[in-house]
Amino acid sequence: MSENNVELCAKYISLIYRKSGEPIKKLLKSIGLTSTQSILIIGIHRNSGINQKDLSNTLYIDTGAISKNLRILEDRNLIYRIVDESNRRNFKLYLTEDGKELLEKNEGLQMEFWEKSLEIFDQNELEQFKSFLERLEDNIG
């Protein structure tokens, strides 16, 4: 791949990430979440009973940011913690019923945004795009 193509790919990946962030941030604000809290709620839902350290590793989010946001989510009754009997210094994380309701709103808003953003592609192009993104993510590690 020529250096110019690599630069263009990196440029567009970065631009898409940054440009999508602002409208998604506004959508999340409308339901009382930050981007980090949104990611945490989805991560806890997909890995129910996960501990904080594993959640940090799974989501590639700094443990300090996770601690702060987990406290906020717990104070809002969106998550709860249970002591891990195999290691009493750890807590297993779960969504409350309120957290599950907010998760549905969160996922719905984000799905709407991405469906609208990707409507320019036909089904075949979307399949190819998905395949490219999966390969890229696998190659990054």
Side-chain angles (χ1 to χ4, degrees), residues 32-69:
L33 289 176
T34 65
S35 297
T36 300
Q37 291 164 0
S38 167
I39 293 166
L40 290 175
I41 285 176
I42 293 169
I44 292 168
H45 170 69
R46 291 183 180 162
N47 303 281
S48 192
I50 193 167
N51 68 40
Q52 186 172 325
K53 181 180 178 190
D54 290 342
L55 186 63
S56 173
N57 292 335
T58 299
L59 300 177
Y60 301 101
I61 298 177
D62 174 74
T63 55
I66 285 194
S67 291
K68 174 187 169 192
N69 284 284

Side-chain angles (χ1 to χ4, degrees), residues 2-111:
S2 78
E3 192 170 314
N4 190 34
N5 284 339
V6 171
E7 283 179 35
L8 283 174
C9 287
K11 171 188 167 185
Y12 285 112
I13 289 169
S14 178
L15 279 172
I16 290 166
Y17 174 75
R18 290 193 321 267
K19 285 177 85 172
S20 66
E22 198 56 40
I24 289 174
K25 187 175 167 182
K26 286 179 184 173
L27 290 170
L28 293 173
K29 187 176 182 179
S30 75
I31 60 171
L33 289 176
T34 65
S35 297
T36 300
Q37 291 164 0
S38 167
I39 293 166
L40 290 175
I41 285 176
I42 293 169
I44 292 168
H45 170 69
R46 291 183 180 162
N47 303 281
S48 192
I50 193 167
N51 68 40
Q52 186 172 325
K53 181 180 178 190
D54 290 342
L55 186 63
S56 173
N57 292 335
T58 299
L59 300 177
Y60 301 101
I61 298 177
D62 174 74
T63 55
I66 285 194
S67 291
K68 174 187 169 192
N69 284 284
L70 287 177
R71 278 192 304 277
I72 293 167
L73 294 173
E74 192 172 28
D75 289 346
R76 291 182 57 201
N77 194 40
L78 299 173
I79 66 164
Y80 64 97
R81 307 170 198 234
I82 294 178
V83 173
D84 184 348
E85 292 303 323
S86 65
N87 181 348
R88 298 195 54 81
R89 291 177 292 167
N90 287 331
F91 294 90
K92 294 181 178 186
L93 302 167
Y94 300 92
L95 293 182
T96 64
E97 288 306 313
D98 288 347
K100 290 174 186 175
E101 286 178 25
L102 197 56
L103 169 75
E104 286 181 28
K105 289 179 187 174
N106 175 16
E107 288 179 330
L109 288 173
Q110 291 200 45
M111 186 61 70

Side-chain angles (χ1 to χ4, degrees), residues 125-139:
E125 290 171 320
L126 280 174
E127 294 292 330
Q128 285 183 315
F129 187 52
K130 179 179 172 253
S131 175
F132 294 151
L133 291 173
E134 287 171 344
R135 287 172 45 204
L136 177 60
E137 194 269 337
D138 285 346
N139 192 49

